[in-house]
Amino acid sequence: MELTILHLYPDCMSLYGEYANVAVLRRHLEAMGVSVTVDTALFEDTPDFAHADFIYMGAGTERTQKAALTALLPHKEALRAAIDRGAVVLFTGNAMELLGASVTDAAGRVWPCLAFAGFTTEEHDGREPVDVLACSDLLPGWVVGFMNKCSETHGVDTPLIQHVEQGVGNEGNAAEPEGYVSGNVFATHLTGPVLVKNPDFVDFLIKRIASLREWALPEALPVLPYEREAHAVTLKELTAR
């Protein structure tokens, strides 16, 4: 079994250590005997979407987000073609916003985005760093993490997370949906090592990749040392508040 991961703009869109999401997914896959290649694309590169099986982009500053958008827009149709043939996509942090129709920055400038979905984002001057405790219909148990956003996203019809218990959802409020999902495209404003913190999310993505590639999975997926224990500690701290 072979798999190619394409990491988009890791030099500029890895503000909170998002590179770890690629690293942990790779470790899980290699523990299953999968031969994993990680390709990267910088702003000046033409991303090789044609050979990518999993495509990832993490969070950046508001400025580097716009630079990533400018770099990615000319390759929009190649990314769409990769999704159509079964590549799995995960965008975290403010990379999620690029999948929608537009981002309006704090100065009022409207930035047309990929328009893979109809939602829109509006940035504001206030920033809200919060720990997150949430639940998704796609994942067992609780989702834990962190977000530091200065935006509100409106018009998401198919959220990844149905209820945010602690933290804020797409529109900036607690107790509302968060993220976006459509087919094999997944996105969330959660930042940093989301997959490191949520091993069930890793397992879910592996199962989705395996299904699309018609792989036979082992009876039990690999568990890396201490990852479940770390999730349990974080969950205990958040639920005690």
Side-chain angles (χ1 to χ4, degrees):
M1 296 184 292
E2 298 180 352
L3 186 103
T4 298
I5 296 174
L6 177 58
H7 191 171
L8 295 173
Y9 318 131
D11 55 337
C12 296
M13 298 295 285
S14 192
L15 188 60
Y16 297 94
E18 277 85 358
Y19 66 87
N21 291 315
V22 172
V24 75
L25 179 62
R26 180 177 189 168
R27 287 187 63 192
H28 274 256
L29 288 165
E30 289 179 339
M32 291 170 47
V34 179
S35 177
V36 179
T37 299
V38 177
D39 291 336
T40 59
L42 307 182
F43 286 163
E44 63 270 20
D45 297 333
T46 298
D48 186 6
F49 291 121
H51 297 96
D53 304 299
F54 183 87
I55 301 163
Y56 177 73
M57 191 196 304
T61 64
E62 283 65 59
R63 181 180 62 83
T64 57
Q65 180 210 42
K66 308 307 182 298
L69 173 62
T70 301
L72 188 57
L73 272 176
H75 312 291
K76 169 182 173 178
E77 294 309 319
L79 174 55
R80 189 193 301 274
I83 294 168
D84 289 344
R85 67 167 171 78
V88 175
V89 173
L90 175 63
F91 281 16
T92 61
N94 60 359
M96 167 185 154
E97 298 167 4
L98 305 186
L99 296 168
S102 66
V103 173
T104 302
D105 66 24
R109 177 177 174 180
V110 178
W111 297 78
C113 295
L114 295 170
F116 291 170
F119 60 78
T120 59
T121 297
E122 296 179 6
E123 294 177 356
H124 46 74
D125 293 328
R127 182 171 293 281
E128 192 162 8
V130 288
D131 290 319
V132 176
L133 178 65
C135 53
S136 169
D137 291 347
L138 296 177
L139 306 174
W142 289 98
V143 175
V144 300
F146 170 81
M147 64 174 65
N148 185 6
K149 58 186 286 191
C150 62
S151 63
E152 297 175 3
T153 298
H154 302 277
V156 176
D157 295 327
T158 52
L160 175 66
I161 290 169
Q162 281 66 47
H163 178 78
V164 176
E165 180 75 14
Q166 294 180 32
V168 294
N170 286 328
E171 300 189 11
N173 305 303
E176 69 179 19
E178 198 284 320
Y180 167 74
V181 59
S182 177
N184 44 315
V185 177
F186 305 92
T188 173
H189 275 106
L190 288 168
T191 57
V194 177
L195 298 184
V196 176
K197 293 182 177 181
N198 294 282
D200 284 334
F201 199 0
V202 181
D203 287 353
F204 171 82
L205 291 172
I206 289 174
K207 289 175 182 177
R208 179 59 61 92
I209 292 167
S211 174
L212 291 165
R213 295 177 63 82
E214 298 182 346
W215 288 348
L217 288 174
E219 186 171 330
L221 293 178
V223 178
L224 300 184
Y226 306 116
E227 62 179 4
R228 298 274 172 187
E229 292 86 348
H231 180 271
V233 168
T234 303
L235 180 59
K236 182 177 179 181
E237 290 176 350
L238 291 177
T239 53
R241 294 179 183 178

